[in-house]
Amino acid sequence: DAGVIQSPRHEVTEMGQEVTLRCKPISGHNSLFWYRQTMMRGLELLIYFNNNVPIDDSGMPEDRFSAKMPNASFSTLKIQPSEPRDSAVYFCASTTFRDRKNIQYFGAGTRLSVL
Amino acid sequence: SQKIEQNSEALNIQEGKTATLTCNYTNYSPAYLQWYRQDPGRGPVFLLLIRENEKEKRKERLKVTFDTTLKQSLFHITASQPADSATYLCALVNTNAGKSTFGDGTTLTVKP
């Protein structure tokens, strides 16, 4: 398997623009997580899905953030409108929920810069 | 909510020595505790998992201990090498919620 695939790897945008980050989880995994990582706040869980259903979105910072998982092989994280403080590395991770060990496989991340 | 503290943001050691990283947590003891490695520009990579009823787990040069009384896990790398230089994160698994909480990580630098 190619692992968790995220796109784009880098995104530079201007304040106020819409940003869409994409993630393809590992085939057969039924849990998907979106994280944000910054120096100040470390690795923060934004939202996670089980079997394509959002379970916990308490980490989503504001209504400007939204996430969808239309099928088992694709998820998006959207920021609209983007702000400079959204600049961070965004990671997607997937795992198999069944065994409860929650061993997560991370993508390479999307480095977002909002100017 | 669970709080995790990984002491010392950075740890510098000489090649060949044993590196010891600490992960302390508050509140409940998790069913599982994990350690991940993260290299610059990459996502975290899973290394080891230890269960709450296990005291110690080994994998090659890596050893993890788990003390639920102290609410602490120690992560050891023996015979360290420059290639071990990376950031190491601990994660506590909340099996009821199906999610994990990550520490901020400790950056290890092994000097030749």
Side-chain angles (χ1 to χ4, degrees), chain A residues 55-105:
Chain A
I55 302 300
D56 183 352
D57 65 355
S58 60
M60 297 285 260
E62 300 171 34
D63 291 344
R64 298 184 296 106
F65 286 69
S66 62
K68 293 182 179 179
M69 192 164 186
N71 57 61
S73 58
F74 184 65
S75 177
T76 59
L77 178 68
K78 186 177 293 186
I79 308 173
Q80 165 63 17
S82 58
E83 296 183 3
R85 60 192 167 126
D86 301 331
S87 297
V89 181
Y90 290 81
F91 288 104
C92 173
S94 69
T95 189
T96 302
F97 178 68
R98 284 184 296 276
D99 68 4
R100 303 180 75 196
K101 293 178 182 176
N102 207 247
I103 296 173
Q104 297 187 23
Y105 296 82

Side-chain angles (χ1 to χ4, degrees), chain A residues 95-105, chain B residues 30-37 45-60 62-67 73-76 89-95 99-100 102:
Chain A
T95 189
T96 302
F97 178 68
R98 284 184 296 276
D99 68 4
R100 303 180 75 196
K101 293 178 182 176
N102 207 247
I103 296 173
Q104 297 187 23
Y105 296 82
Chain B
Y32 302 100
L33 188 146
Q34 304 168 339
W35 284 88
Y36 289 77
R37 169 181 173 145
V45 174
F46 171 76
L47 294 175
L48 275 173
L49 171 148
I50 187 165
R51 302 171 195 265
E52 62 179 337
N53 60 355
E54 294 178 318
K55 296 294 184 186
E56 182 179 299
K57 197 79 169 283
R58 291 176 184 261
K59 180 182 177 183
E60 298 173 350
L62 309 181
K63 184 178 84 170
V64 174
T65 63
F66 193 8
D67 188 326
S73 174
L74 298 179
F75 178 79
H76 306 273
L89 303 98
C90 71
L92 277 56
V93 180
N94 183 333
T95 52
K99 64 180 182 179
S100 299
F102 284 80

